[in-house]
Amino acid sequence: MKLLFIGDIVGQPGRNAVKILLPKLRERHALDFVIANGENSAGGSGITPKIAGELFDEGVDVITSGDHLWDQKEVTELLANEKRFLRPLNYPAGTPGQGSGVFEISNLKSQISNRIAVLNVQGRTFMQPPLENPFTLALEEVKRLRERTKIIFVDFHAEATSEKIAFGRFLDGQVSAVVGTHTHVQTADEQVLPLGTAYLTDAGFTGPHDGCLGREIEPVIKKFLTGIPQRFEVAKNRVQLHGAVIEIDDATGKAIKIQRVSEMLT
Ligand SMILES: [Fe+2]
Ligand SMILES: [Fe+2]
């Protein structure tokens, strides 16, 4: 099976890129499943049920999130009612929502396995708020998920490359793919690790790249110069969809290939 993971969708420009480019990518790569990180999809901060609904309508099967989870208060509706919306697994016990889910792959030609598990975990190094240990919790969760399917995709939302690489190596052979999000800068280290896990430190972000991580440049520089809080408006130009296409052996759940995606919206 082949899946596309879309890096953090930032604001209206990012959503527009998904709307226009996803059908083209689906055709080009014969995609069976699409996962997107939506933590910045509402004006750059958080996500609402309406925006999640639009992304699902446009062909995204599962939405993951991260530290911007709580930025829009309506997210509580998604956490309560939408199984296709995931929040980091390692929030304290009792937090609404779910960190993983098992989903049917409806149009898969191969009938060996027609289920995929998606897991969303958040790192702790240089991240606020500090959550529970992602390594121990992810390992337990992966064990549970493997009883239902061997095809498992993990979005590891984290800042430090060291933590991300260690996490990928830690889960090598246990999951089909570990792809990082949060830094908004796509890394060039895509690889299939020795035991069969596809890995990429960061998928990058989907939105306006003529800016600072998707925001207008001037307020960000002003904040660094003066320390005074600024409004960070979403930037406008050079809109790109960033992510990765991963090919997975349906029978074993092992990755065959990972390819970075960086597609310009023209
Ligand atoms: Fe983000
Ligand atoms: Fe983030």
Side-chain angles (χ1 to χ4, degrees), residues 55-74:
L55 293 171
F56 291 136
D57 288 347
E58 286 159 13
V60 173
D61 295 294
V62 174
I63 299 173
T64 56
S65 60
D67 56 313
H68 283 286
L69 177 66
W70 308 105
D71 290 357
Q72 304 288 334
K73 62 180 186 309
E74 302 99 305

Side-chain angles (χ1 to χ4, degrees), residues 8 37 39-40 65-68 122 127 157-158 181-184:
D8 303 27
N37 186 302
E39 73 151 6
N40 306 109
S65 60
D67 56 313
H68 283 286
Q122 186 167 309
M127 296 290 286
H157 197 76
T181 54
H182 177 70
T183 70
H184 289 202

Side-chain angles (χ1 to χ4, degrees), residues 5-11 13-15 17-18 35-42 44-46 55 63-69 120 122 127 155-159 164 179-186 201-209 213-215 239-244:
F5 178 71
I6 300 173
D8 303 27
I9 299 166
V10 177
R15 283 161 18 225
V18 172
I35 303 160
N37 186 302
E39 73 151 6
N40 306 109
S41 55
S45 301
L55 293 171
I63 299 173
T64 56
S65 60
D67 56 313
H68 283 286
L69 177 66
N120 191 188
Q122 186 167 309
M127 296 290 286
D155 171 355
F156 188 45
H157 197 76
E159 177 73 32
K164 290 163 115 167
V179 175
T181 54
H182 177 70
T183 70
H184 289 202
V185 178
Q186 189 175 70
T201 295
D202 207 290
F205 80 96
T206 296
H209 282 249
L213 310 184
R215 306 306 181 106
V239 177
Q240 294 179 15
L241 186 152
H242 279 186

Side-chain angles (χ1 to χ4, degrees), residues 104-124:
E104 300 287 321
I105 309 168
S106 47
N107 62 342
L108 191 56
K109 287 131 234 135
S110 154
Q111 288 303 315
I112 301 169
S113 171
N114 64 350
R115 280 195 296 217
I116 178 171
V118 182
L119 173 58
N120 191 188
V121 188
Q122 186 167 309
R124 295 201 295 186

